[in-house]
Amino acid sequence: MLPPSRRDFVSLTVSESGSYTNSKQWRRQSCWRKWKQLSRLQRSLILFTLMLLLQLFLVFLFLSAESRLEAVREAFRHAWKGYKNFAWGHDELKPISKSYGEWFGLGLTLIDALDTMWILGLKEEFAEARQWVAKELSFDKNVDVNLFESTIRILGSLLSTYHLTGDSLFLEKAKDIGSRLMPAFNTASKIPYSDVNIGKGTAHPPQWTSDSSVAEVTSIQLEFRELSRLTGDPKYKLAVMEVMKQVHKLDGKQDGLVPMFINTNNGLFTHQGMYTLGARADSYYEYLLKQWIQGGKTEKEFLDDYLQAVEGVKKNLLKKSTPSGLAFVGELSHGHFSPKMDHLVCFLPGTLALGAHYGLPADHMELAKQLMETCYQMYAQMETGLSPEIAHFNMHEGSTQDVDVKIADRHNLLRPETVESLFYLYRFTKDKKYQQWGWEILQNFNKYTRVPTGGYTSINNVRDPASPNPRDKMESFFLGETLKYFYLLFSEDPNLISLDKYVFNTEAHPLPIWPQSE
């Protein structure tokens, strides 16, 4: 008897159209059939379980976000504890020596932190700070102050706090300091002096030069313009707008990029041929965009200058590192490119993203994302996870590390610029990686700069975790900017200082965007 014959083939039923049943479609039909076969009770239990899991997941996300917000509040309270115990009413805390430093003698840290406390909901701390402002703060002092720093930190914060609280105390103090800064503009060129005595009503350039830095004279406009709007007195706005008119038409720019210095006698650029987006030039570019936004997008000359400058950056200063191809913004000196990038330049990703939010070209957002990655890597590639003040990027074939840091540049001053840009990028993209990067940075601040008895300190060496070498200084901007931007970064509320209603000055103090009717 013969064995049964073997079939060495697989039969396939083909429909008349020539196609066969798709396996995914069959699985979907099978799953649906099984679902329909379940009893009503079984289906209800499954749906209930899925809804419960979803709710638990959302609760986890909420608690995670809330825990990060609380971590920022706790960091602020710790910094405030040091300031209150050892530096109350003075400009800056020295947390290691448990003492204080004076710059202007005006309670700089306290004033700079006012709107941060309000935004973080720290009512008790805000109340005690307000009482000091009401009882102790006086600008009637024979003291020289820097026009730019006083404007962005003191005038900016007082105006912002007035808008957030509606408390007229802060507006009155803003009027007082604003009027006392005006003698700085009494120059032949109308380009303001860098220093002004707020008690005597006199002003002068620094002892070593007759120049002012371009960033300083072009980054006081948001504040003085707003002061004119609130007081009805046009003198503040007219003074700062005269500066912008002159800078707009000056020779010496390269593709919209400006030199770092301007002479207060003749109103001309000096040290021509040197271009950077770092110190002494950085916030000029930031305030071009932000004045356009503040004024309800009506002042086209600011937008034109800003767009030209961004193209100038791309043409002259934008390069990529080796081996990872990180996009970075270097410097130009008389035609020679230097791969040097200040941490200050990390304001740029946020500014580019803000412009894209307001309808500027989409490639601005793409460049913002690339530069944001670079600014994060300036932290991640350091042994402490904290960025140096200045980085040099390798561009040579065969380089094994993108970022190089000279010994003199290894300090970290608790600066806000990277956290600031992370906030903008998260607000506009909702990509969680920006929050995660910020969380890593906050944890490293806590690990290497937190002082047990209160406060945080700048450090000298971000490359040595075993001995970061504290500098014994907590800058006012750590409370005024860095911790504020951390809080806004971790918040999931887009209406917490809405970027459609407020524009931040360069010290992180939000000022209202004017209605277009104004």
Side-chain angles (χ1 to χ4, degrees), residues 414-428:
L414 311 173
R415 287 199 184 277
E417 287 78 20
T418 292
V419 187
E420 170 187 358
S421 285
L422 287 171
F423 156 62
Y424 283 106
L425 268 292
Y426 181 69
R427 237 337 141 83
F428 297 137

Side-chain angles (χ1 to χ4, degrees), residues 59-173:
V59 167
F60 170 78
L61 289 180
F62 173 79
L63 291 176
S64 176
E66 190 57 39
S67 67
R68 289 180 174 182
L69 293 175
E70 184 53 39
V72 180
R73 285 191 286 261
E74 194 280 328
F76 187 99
R77 289 191 193 100
H78 184 76
W80 191 250
K81 171 189 170 186
Y83 178 74
K84 186 178 177 182
N85 288 344
F86 309 123
W88 185 252
H90 298 286
D91 284 342
E92 293 168 337
L93 169 67
K94 292 184 173 182
I96 305 295
S97 58
K98 301 182 181 62
S99 61
Y100 60 83
E102 295 287 37
W103 191 2
F104 309 142
L106 298 173
L108 202 57
T109 290
L110 186 150
I111 296 174
D112 215 357
L114 285 167
D115 56 1
T116 303
M117 288 182 272
W118 186 265
I119 291 168
L120 270 60
L122 301 174
K123 295 179 180 178
E124 183 179 325
E125 292 83 354
F126 181 84
E128 60 189 358
R130 184 202 181 280
Q131 185 175 12
W132 184 88
V133 171
K135 304 291 185 184
E136 304 292 335
L137 178 60
S138 172
F139 298 122
D140 189 15
K141 290 186 176 180
N142 178 17
V143 60
D144 280 3
V145 304
N146 178 275
L147 170 66
F148 166 71
E149 298 290 356
S150 300
T151 299
I152 65 170
R153 300 191 198 209
I154 300 175
L155 178 58
S157 182
L158 291 169
L159 290 171
S160 170
T161 307
Y162 164 68
H163 279 295
L164 293 175
T165 66
D167 189 335
S168 61
L169 167 68
F170 301 107
L171 178 57
E172 292 308 311
K173 293 293 184 181

Side-chain angles (χ1 to χ4, degrees), residues 194-370:
S194 64
D195 296 282
V196 55
N197 188 301
I198 56 175
K200 291 182 176 179
T202 58
H204 58 87
Q207 294 179 350
W208 58 89
T209 181
S210 59
D211 292 344
S212 290
S213 83
V214 171
E216 291 189 354
V217 302
T218 58
S219 306
I220 52 180
Q221 281 66 21
L222 293 181
E223 300 83 356
F224 278 97
R225 282 157 50 109
E226 179 60 16
L227 188 58
S228 274
R229 190 175 80 100
L230 290 173
T231 62
D233 188 339
K235 68 181 180 184
Y236 306 108
K237 180 178 179 180
L238 290 173
V240 295
M241 294 305 286
E242 181 62 30
V243 178
M244 297 308 298
K245 287 177 185 175
Q246 293 198 40
V247 171
H248 172 73
K249 64 187 180 185
L250 276 182
D251 293 329
K253 298 178 188 174
Q254 180 164 329
D255 301 314
L257 304 177
V258 293
M260 294 188 289
F261 296 98
I262 189 167
N263 187 278
T264 54
N265 294 323
N266 59 28
L268 301 177
F269 288 133
T270 62
H271 300 76
Q272 293 194 30
M274 298 177 66
Y275 305 98
T276 177
L277 261 74
R280 300 190 173 92
D282 49 354
S283 46
Y284 161 74
Y285 304 100
E286 175 189 356
Y287 268 39
L288 286 176
L289 176 69
K290 289 182 173 180
Q291 286 177 83
W292 176 68
I293 293 171
Q294 179 191 43
K297 300 189 291 185
T298 59
E299 299 154 297
K300 191 172 181 293
E301 66 277 8
F302 295 133
L303 177 61
D304 291 342
D305 285 354
Y306 174 74
L307 290 172
Q308 184 183 15
V310 172
E311 293 307 308
V313 169
K314 291 193 283 190
K315 178 180 177 182
N316 299 285
L317 305 181
L318 184 64
K319 304 286 184 183
K320 291 200 172 182
S321 69
T322 303
S324 303
L326 297 174
F328 70 94
V329 176
E331 299 183 351
L332 202 62
S333 177
H334 304 287
H336 174 72
F337 179 81
S338 168
K340 167 181 176 285
M341 179 167 156
D342 293 359
H343 183 274
L344 288 167
V345 180
C346 287
F347 84 92
L348 186 57
T351 298
L352 288 167
L354 181 64
H357 174 69
Y358 275 93
L360 301 192
D363 68 344
H364 286 206
M365 180 59 87
E366 290 309 306
L367 180 56
K369 292 176 181 178
Q370 292 176 37

Side-chain angles (χ1 to χ4, degrees), residues 469-483:
N469 191 7
R471 293 167 70 110
D472 194 20
K473 187 176 185 180
M474 185 177 79
E475 299 275 0
S476 81
F477 55 63
F478 183 65
L479 299 185
E481 299 187 74
T482 310
L483 290 180

